[in-house]
Amino acid sequence: MSRIRTFILVFLFWTLVGMISKGAFLLVYHSLFTDVSLSDHLLVFLYGLRLDIAIAGYLTAIPGLLLIVTLWTTKRFVQWIWNGYFIFAAFLSSLAYIANLGLYGYWGFPLDDTPLLYVKTSPADAMASLVWWQLTIVPLLILLFAFMIYKGGAYLFPKEKSGVRGKKFIESVLLVLLTAFLLLPIRGGVGTGTNHVGSVYFSTNNRLNHAAVNPIFSFVEAVVHQEEIGTKYRFMAADEADALFKELTYTTLRQDTTQTLHQPNVILIVLESFSDSIMRVKGVTPNLLRLKEEGLYFTNFYANSFRTDRALVSIHSGLPGQPSMSVIDMPHKSTSLPSIAQHLAKNGYQTTFYYGGDINYCNMRSYFMGTGFQQIVCDADFPIKLHTSKWGVADGPVYERMLADIKADTSGKPFFRSIMTESSHEPFDVPNYQKIKDNAVLNAFSYADDCLGRFVNELRKLPCWKNTLIAIVPDHLGAYPDNAYHYLLWRYKTPFILLGDAIPEGVQCNTVGSQIDIPATLFGLLGIDHSEFTYSKDLFDTKAPHFAFFTFPDAMGMVTDSSSVIYDNTSNKVSLTSGPDTDRLVKKAQAYLQKLYDDLDKR
């Protein structure tokens, strides 16, 4: 079974190469980590191992196949292919690792496809920015590291001859199975979340997160997801877009302080797939209907997008959803965004995010850790017996965990706790709950509503209730009814509720708004500057331009108190209009989307 041993050694060899690169990174940039503990240095290796073994999986696949060939032939050409492969892989790996070491000091983020952009668009300028010693030393380092990797790989080529025919067949089958098994480390396991750059983010210190990233993985991911952001949605001249965009933004803190709250605890509850329409189905959401009467309810509120990955960023960072991309998939961009957690942390708050599923799904970990959440509670923090659904842990135990954490908190500091629910997501499997037996979808929504009601009722019993503000909002357009047409405004209407001892009961706010307005509205209530949230408007500020903007695959909509439009970007046609002056509203929506992509391109 010598080939099996060789297969394992090759996999471990490539894993070790990735780990060595992390040690080199921490050594080269040691001045950036002077205030970092030894345990955090070790966590770089521990968390980064996920992507190191993913790359090891990719790089072991071809040697695995060649090992099978060596069982059935002793021809020298197999060793030539083996050595040729390691020369090629060693050079590319060395290039990525050394480039990451050299470029991080200038760019401040792990290696991605940016070098390709510079080489493609202006190779002379790219080379001109290098000094003589870099032009000399860097190539030598690349060749030296590549030589060392090659020698290690070449040494692993099996020297022993293959055994008898029966044993060769058994070993061949085992090697086939092992090679196929590489899909697990490549994918990142069997859970719902696949490997992303953000899978290894573990700290609020983004430099530690960057140190944990495998640069080969980050480069490949960037190339695969490459998109010319700055060239998309060019509807008009830049100066015209600037002028229209200016009419749509207002970041000044509201001067009226009569509604200002002093450092309340803040709980943000994001409900999976809920919408205005689900609340209209009799008997499904009694708790949500009750809570809207017990607090402040926004009657003209809209979701910004059609998927959770976009919605979470809209809610927490006030960034409009994108129709053709998801910024959360680009950690170096998503972590540059302002966020509620980041701003509250600067104001003395403890910040925690709760999610019953895999936090690596859709690069959620990188976004939340990179934008101010000091702690994340996810499926891995619950016993396996509570993993009762495809997505992980049902809403009930997650609410219970958050409630337990609140009860155990003796720090005296205000807290910000955000929770993303998941039980009302397909396949709508909820534990031990059968209120609506003939409809699994409605039953799942009813379960999620029941868990929400129980949580708020229990929270009311705690001393902290008198100084706690709760915001409740769905993540995106609802999952009910089935197969609803997306080019209708009602699809995007969602509830938004504010609760708390200082919030008046039974009051409605009819101002038109959307999820991106949540940060400015919360900070307006807290008296905290929100000027960094370019797109967010305080819903209580009469000076702000109030509207809702939303997107779905290559289409967008805009709603004001008098007009509304939906515009299809693929056909370049208006799909829905209502009210006066809709031509100008279309122009405003186009300018808004154009400026959004300008912003993302520059990040």
Side-chain angles (χ1 to χ4, degrees):
M1 295 293 179
S2 62
R3 267 69 173 176
I4 304 295
R5 183 173 64 252
T6 300
F7 180 96
I8 295 172
L9 288 174
V10 169
F11 181 83
L12 293 176
F13 171 76
W14 283 119
T15 303
L16 179 63
V17 170
M19 296 181 70
I20 290 173
S21 78
K22 286 173 175 50
F25 184 95
L26 291 171
L27 185 63
V28 170
Y29 292 105
H30 66 91
S31 61
L32 301 179
F33 303 103
T34 54
D35 58 344
V36 173
S37 66
L38 176 61
S39 61
D40 280 331
H41 278 84
L42 295 176
L43 287 175
V44 167
F45 292 92
L46 178 62
Y47 280 88
L49 188 61
R50 181 184 178 113
L51 296 187
D52 290 338
I53 65 174
I55 290 300
Y58 280 111
L59 295 175
T60 305
I62 290 179
L65 297 175
L66 289 174
L67 287 172
I68 298 172
V69 176
T70 64
L71 285 168
W72 301 95
T73 180
T74 58
K75 299 293 184 180
R76 291 292 300 273
F77 79 89
V78 181
Q79 186 170 4
W80 294 342
I81 296 174
W82 179 282
N83 290 343
Y85 167 78
F86 270 94
I87 290 173
F88 178 76
F91 177 77
L92 291 184
S93 300
S94 178
L95 183 62
Y97 290 128
I98 300 301
N100 186 60
L101 283 177
L103 294 172
Y104 186 83
Y106 298 101
W107 292 347
F109 57 84
L111 183 69
D112 63 3
D113 62 340
T114 305
L116 292 182
L117 175 65
Y118 286 136
V119 170
K120 181 173 65 175
T121 57
S122 184
D125 290 343
M127 296 301 293
S129 62
L130 300 175
V131 296
W132 69 268
W133 65 267
Q134 291 172 320
L135 291 170
T136 304
I137 299 298
V138 171
L140 289 176
L141 287 175
I142 292 172
L143 291 174
L144 177 62
F145 195 40
F147 178 76
M148 294 169 63
I149 295 174
Y150 161 70
K151 291 297 289 184
Y155 177 78
L156 292 174
F157 186 79
K159 309 299 189 299
E160 304 89 351
K161 293 184 178 180
S162 55
V164 298
R165 186 177 183 86
K167 290 184 177 180
K168 287 194 293 184
F169 179 79
I170 294 173
E171 198 165 0
S172 295
V173 171
L174 290 175
L175 283 170
V176 168
L177 293 175
L178 282 173
T179 304
F181 185 79
L182 291 174
L183 287 173
L184 284 180
I186 289 172
R187 186 183 184 277
V190 295
T192 56
T194 55
N195 277 329
H196 298 281
V197 166
S199 302
V200 300
Y201 277 44
F202 69 94
S203 173
T204 54
N205 182 342
N206 273 332
R207 287 170 174 169
L208 287 172
N209 296 329
H210 296 163
V213 170
N214 184 296
I216 301 177
F217 192 96
S218 62
F219 176 82
V220 172
E221 184 179 80
V223 171
V224 171
H225 295 97
Q226 185 181 34
E227 185 170 8
E228 298 290 345
I229 298 173
T231 63
K232 291 187 71 69
Y233 305 118
R234 302 297 93 184
F235 298 105
M236 63 195 72
D239 55 351
E240 183 182 5
D242 291 342
L244 289 171
F245 185 70
K246 189 175 181 180
E247 296 179 20
L248 299 169
T249 56
Y250 188 83
T251 58
T252 304
L253 183 64
R254 176 164 45 88
Q255 296 303 305
D256 177 14
T257 59
T258 57
Q259 294 176 301
T260 300
L261 308 176
H262 178 65
Q263 280 202 321
N265 303 309
V266 179
I267 297 176
L268 176 57
I269 300 174
V270 183
L271 301 172
E272 171 66 51
S273 299
F274 272 71
S275 67
D276 185 71
S277 59
I278 197 70
M279 295 172 66
R280 301 177 188 276
V281 184
K282 186 176 180 180
V284 175
T285 62
N287 290 286
L288 202 55
L289 292 171
R290 170 177 59 86
L291 294 175
K292 85 169 191 176
E293 299 298 329
E294 295 177 356
L296 177 60
Y297 183 65
F298 294 81
T299 61
N300 287 310
F301 199 79
Y302 292 80
N304 284 108
S305 189
F306 62 101
R307 286 290 181 267
T308 302
D309 52 349
R310 274 86 154 177
L312 288 172
V313 180
S314 292
I315 293 167
H316 290 84
S317 292
L319 186 82
Q322 308 91 58
S324 63
M325 57 172 280
S326 179
V327 72
I328 205 171
D329 278 334
M330 305 174 183
H332 70 277
K333 292 185 183 291
S334 67
T335 55
S336 72
L337 297 169
S339 76
I340 296 173
Q342 184 183 77
H343 273 52
L344 289 181
K346 291 177 181 177
N347 283 271
Y349 280 70
Q350 293 181 328
T351 58
T352 310
F353 181 75
Y354 295 82
Y355 177 55
D358 184 351
I359 197 61
N360 293 308
Y361 185 69
C362 289
N363 258 328
M364 287 165 61
R365 180 187 293 276
S366 63
Y367 170 66
F368 286 118
M369 291 301 301
T371 56
F373 277 100
Q374 297 151 351
Q375 182 184 5
I376 289 178
V377 176
C378 62
D379 59 350
D381 299 296
F382 293 86
I384 194 67
K385 66 180 181 180
L386 293 179
H387 293 222
T388 56
S389 74
K390 174 187 175 183
W391 290 96
V393 183
D395 293 354
V398 183
Y399 278 120
E400 290 170 7
R401 168 61 188 268
M402 182 163 63
L403 199 63
D405 289 350
I406 292 172
K407 292 178 180 178
D409 184 1
T410 59
S411 67
K413 294 182 178 180
F415 61 74
F416 171 54
R417 302 182 190 271
S418 179
I419 179 174
M420 176 68 220
T421 71
E422 56 94 359
S423 291
S424 46
H425 193 292
E426 59 184 350
F428 308 107
D429 49 346
V430 295
N432 303 318
Y433 188 88
Q434 286 294 326
K435 182 179 178 181
I436 305 176
K437 297 182 180 180
D438 59 343
N439 192 311
V441 177
L442 295 181
N443 188 66
F445 278 102
S446 180
Y447 169 78
D449 176 79
D450 183 69
C451 294
L452 170 66
R454 290 174 182 272
F455 170 74
V456 175
N457 289 343
E458 290 300 312
L459 193 67
R460 287 182 187 273
K461 301 175 184 178
L462 302 182
C464 68
W465 172 261
K466 293 183 178 180
N467 193 40
T468 297
L469 174 65
I470 303 176
I472 303 172
V473 66
D475 58 345
H476 51 71
L477 58 89
Y480 185 88
D482 294 334
N483 303 316
Y485 188 51
H486 289 337
Y487 288 79
L488 296 171
L489 290 179
W490 66 264
R491 287 289 286 135
Y492 304 91
K493 287 204 72 173
T494 62
F496 177 41
I497 302 170
L498 293 179
L499 290 170
D501 210 45
I503 300 298
E505 292 189 14
V507 176
Q508 293 186 348
C509 177
N510 299 319
T511 303
V512 177
S514 64
Q515 292 164 329
I516 59 174
D517 299 324
I518 291 176
T521 302
L522 288 179
F523 291 136
L525 287 171
L526 274 58
I528 296 175
D529 175 73
H530 54 81
S531 57
E532 288 188 46
F533 294 80
T534 305
Y535 307 91
S536 192
K537 293 94 55 192
D538 185 344
L539 292 171
F540 297 119
D541 195 333
T542 57
K543 295 181 180 180
H546 294 299
F547 62 91
F549 176 83
F550 56 85
T551 65
F552 54 103
D554 224 15
M556 60 183 167
M558 184 170 278
V559 183
T560 69
D561 57 359
S562 61
S563 303
S564 56
V565 297
I566 292 181
Y567 184 85
D568 188 281
N569 294 311
T570 303
S571 63
N572 295 318
K573 293 180 179 179
V574 175
S575 299
L576 179 148
T577 62
S578 176
D581 204 13
T582 52
D583 288 343
R584 181 166 176 79
L585 194 58
V586 169
K587 293 291 289 184
K588 285 185 175 182
Q590 291 174 331
Y592 203 68
L593 186 61
Q594 181 170 319
K595 290 297 294 181
L596 170 63
Y597 273 68
D598 286 344
D599 180 7
L600 294 175
D601 186 50
K602 294 173 183 176
R603 289 184 179 274

